[in-house]
Amino acid sequence: MTASSRLPAAQLTHAQLSARALTIGSAAGLVLLLPTVVLAWIAVLASERGSRCLTYGEQCSRMPGDALWACFWASAALGVLALAWPRARWAPARCATVLLQWGAQLTLGALILAGA
């Protein structure tokens, strides 16, 4: 009897646990993408400068809108890619995809807040 045959069949391997963690991380990023954007914009518009921009069109952010959209779509696309990626293949690349997804999402939030 080998050591691996004594393990219960329900026990998850390290590879299965890391694949599950990547799936959860990617799904969480996709779920939190819109709330991140909405809350960042609420914080910006609640400031004096943001409300002045909204009301009078003065002192608006000089942050290019293309950069914001690029970060948004990059985060969404990377999240979908990480979810669609085969679980057992190229785990380090899948992990890098999830990290890039979260990096793009956090950059998006920071860019929106920097416009305040």
Side-chain angles (χ1 to χ4, degrees):
M1 189 181 241
T2 64
S4 63
S5 65
R6 284 184 252 149
L7 294 175
Q11 186 176 9
L12 296 174
T13 65
H14 177 67
Q16 290 171 329
L17 286 174
S18 63
R20 181 174 287 174
L22 288 173
T23 300
I24 291 170
S26 178
L30 285 173
V31 168
L32 293 174
L33 182 59
L34 286 178
T36 299
V37 171
V38 169
L39 289 176
W41 277 115
I42 288 173
V44 167
L45 294 175
S47 70
E48 180 182 342
R49 183 176 174 185
S51 60
R52 191 158 188 83
C53 174
L54 188 63
T55 307
Y56 303 111
E58 300 172 352
Q59 299 178 353
C60 293
S61 171
R62 301 197 195 285
M63 191 64 57
D66 292 341
L68 299 176
W69 282 110
C71 287
F72 178 84
W73 289 115
S75 179
L78 288 167
V80 170
L81 177 65
L83 284 178
W85 202 296
R87 305 293 186 259
R89 301 179 77 189
W90 302 308
R94 187 169 178 240
C95 181
T97 304
V98 173
L99 290 175
L100 285 172
Q101 171 196 2
W102 277 95
Q105 184 168 337
L106 293 174
T107 302
L108 173 63
L111 286 174
I112 293 171
L113 291 173

